[in-house]
Amino acid sequence: MRYLKPTLVLAALAAALAGCGGGSGSVPSDAVATVGSQKITQQQFTALIDQAKRSYKVQKRSFPAPGSPEYQTLKNQALQYLVQRAEFAQEAGGMGITITTKQVDARLVQIKKQYFGGNEARYKTQLKKQGLTDQQVRDDVQAQLVSEQIFKKVTGGVKVNDADVKKYYTQHQSQYGVPEQRVIAHILVKSKALADKLYTQIQNGANFAQLAKKYSQDPGSKNQGGKLTISKGQTVAPFDQTAFLMQTGQVSHPVHTQFGYHIIKALGPIKPAKLTPFAQVKASIQQQLLQQNRNDEMTKWVDKVKKDFTHKIHYQAGYAPPATTTSTSPTTT
């Protein structure tokens, strides 16, 4: 569940799916839904759909026709984004989370600096282009700050112990291995006739590096006389097999691949495969597992909130989402 990102700079419509409350409670005429004590107004919903329309237009895509499955999906996503935002806002109060105007101002300054170079005129131009008001952006920023603080609260006690890190390293050693490597040089040309001609010249004593600089079609190595370091299994099969079977100093006959014809020279011996020591990757594994565990913890919290609000969400006629809306894992920004 990707949630609560600033509308202005990240998306015209967040595809966030939260708990789908059912029920048939009383919903005010100017609202599309109520979430606990908070109502989601028709104006909020329409504004989000309008943003989606502008986004489609910028991408030169046709906006889904009302009544179509695509439009219904978009409608559900827009509403459930607003539902989730309301859920989070209400939960935040009970968790002692308060977002001040000063915090919103500070984050908005960051956004303006990152996306508009701190230029207020460019920011306002973008607002106009997307049909947004400054207050709408501030509302989105506040919602994002709420979600960030909830994430910190919920996942603050999550830890990863050394045993788990070591276990992951042991079970995924293929990710931390360095395959066999070799320094070679090659000349790539398009025709077999030219490749045969160059091979003959090399056998007769011509300088390999000079020929590579003159004839090779490989822009990544030609200026180095065709020299490059390759890892076993990471080049196309015919090239890879030849390069790792040759003796040091040997020059291959032309090898055909989808790129053309290669003449390969083994410049050095094969360096054996090795495993990156645990100490060098421990910190990165620990961080990876910590983020994964935090996301898992957040998922459980979101599922609980979803369950708690099941009978607290009521929709205006025609706005209730399908009963089997699914969600993905929560992420932070």
Side-chain angles (χ1 to χ4, degrees):
M1 182 183 302
R2 187 170 300 277
Y3 55 88
L4 305 182
K5 294 174 180 275
T7 304
L8 172 67
V9 295
L10 295 179
L13 178 64
L17 304 177
C20 313
S24 56
S26 175
V27 179
S29 59
D30 65 340
V32 295
T34 57
V35 182
S37 60
Q38 187 173 335
K39 71 177 182 179
I40 297 173
T41 67
Q42 179 69 54
Q43 184 180 18
Q44 288 176 301
F45 175 78
T46 300
L48 203 54
I49 292 296
D50 286 345
Q51 289 171 42
K53 288 179 179 178
R54 293 186 185 93
S55 178
Y56 271 69
K57 184 176 181 179
V58 168
Q59 298 171 40
K60 301 187 186 305
R61 298 166 57 197
S62 298
F63 191 73
S68 68
E70 293 81 5
Y71 180 82
Q72 188 61 40
T73 297
L74 199 64
K75 179 179 174 181
N76 291 339
Q77 290 174 347
L79 184 54
Q80 294 312 307
Y81 169 70
L82 294 170
V83 166
Q84 181 183 263
R85 198 163 81 168
E87 290 173 343
F88 277 32
Q90 291 175 64
E91 289 294 307
M95 299 169 75
I97 295 172
T98 301
I99 303 301
T100 66
T101 301
K102 185 177 180 180
Q103 288 173 296
V104 173
D105 289 343
R107 177 60 61 85
L108 193 52
V109 167
Q110 290 178 9
I111 291 173
K112 291 177 181 178
K113 184 176 181 180
Q114 180 178 357
Y115 294 95
F116 307 103
N119 188 304
E120 187 70 18
R122 288 176 57 194
Y123 167 70
K124 290 181 177 179
T125 297
Q126 187 67 12
L127 286 186
K128 185 176 180 180
K129 183 178 179 181
Q130 294 196 11
L132 295 169
T133 65
D134 184 69
Q135 187 57 52
Q136 285 176 307
V137 175
R138 288 178 176 276
D139 289 345
D140 278 351
V141 169
Q142 176 157 332
Q144 177 63 28
L145 291 171
V146 166
S147 74
E148 291 173 1
Q149 291 303 311
I150 288 177
F151 188 87
K152 288 181 181 179
K153 284 265 188 181
V154 172
T155 66
V158 175
K159 300 183 184 303
V160 175
N161 59 49
D162 288 347
D164 289 337
V165 177
K166 183 65 175 180
K167 181 180 179 181
Y168 184 91
Y169 174 79
T170 301
Q171 294 178 344
H172 298 82
Q173 288 193 355
S174 61
Q175 297 180 18
Y176 305 103
V178 178
E180 291 180 330
Q181 292 185 327
R182 189 169 210 178
V183 179
I184 61 99
H186 84 127
I187 301 171
L188 171 64
V189 293
K190 296 300 182 182
S191 72
K192 186 176 187 304
L194 179 56
D196 288 338
K197 177 183 176 180
L198 295 177
Y199 176 76
T200 299
Q201 291 180 15
I202 293 167
Q203 293 301 307
N204 290 330
N207 185 283
F208 191 101
Q210 290 180 359
L211 292 177
K213 289 180 180 179
K214 183 176 181 180
Y215 292 101
S216 183
Q217 300 296 303
D218 178 17
S221 67
K222 70 172 297 178
N223 291 334
Q224 288 74 46
K227 183 179 178 180
L228 73 162
T229 300
I230 60 173
S231 298
K232 189 170 181 61
Q234 296 182 6
T235 57
V236 289
F239 188 102
D240 188 80
Q241 293 165 4
T242 302
F244 283 93
L245 286 174
M246 298 165 62
Q247 295 180 359
T248 300
Q250 184 178 355
V251 176
S252 73
H253 287 279
V255 177
H256 186 221
T257 72
Q258 64 261 46
F259 301 107
Y261 293 86
H262 308 258
I263 303 170
I264 306 170
K265 183 175 182 178
L267 298 181
I270 297 173
K271 296 180 181 179
K274 61 180 181 180
L275 186 65
T276 303
F278 175 66
Q280 292 183 21
V281 295
K282 179 181 177 181
S284 63
I285 295 175
Q286 187 172 37
Q287 186 58 40
Q288 175 186 335
L289 294 181
L290 181 60
Q291 188 60 50
Q292 180 179 311
N293 289 351
R294 284 171 173 167
N295 286 346
D296 290 344
E297 189 69 20
M298 188 65 186
T299 298
K300 287 189 281 187
W301 183 87
V302 170
D303 287 344
K304 180 180 181 302
V305 170
K306 173 181 173 180
K307 184 177 180 180
D308 291 345
F309 273 87
T310 297
H311 300 295
K312 299 178 184 179
I313 304 175
H314 304 286
Y315 296 95
Q316 190 67 266
Y319 286 90
T324 56
T325 303
T326 58
S327 65
T328 55
S329 299
T331 61
T332 61
T333 60

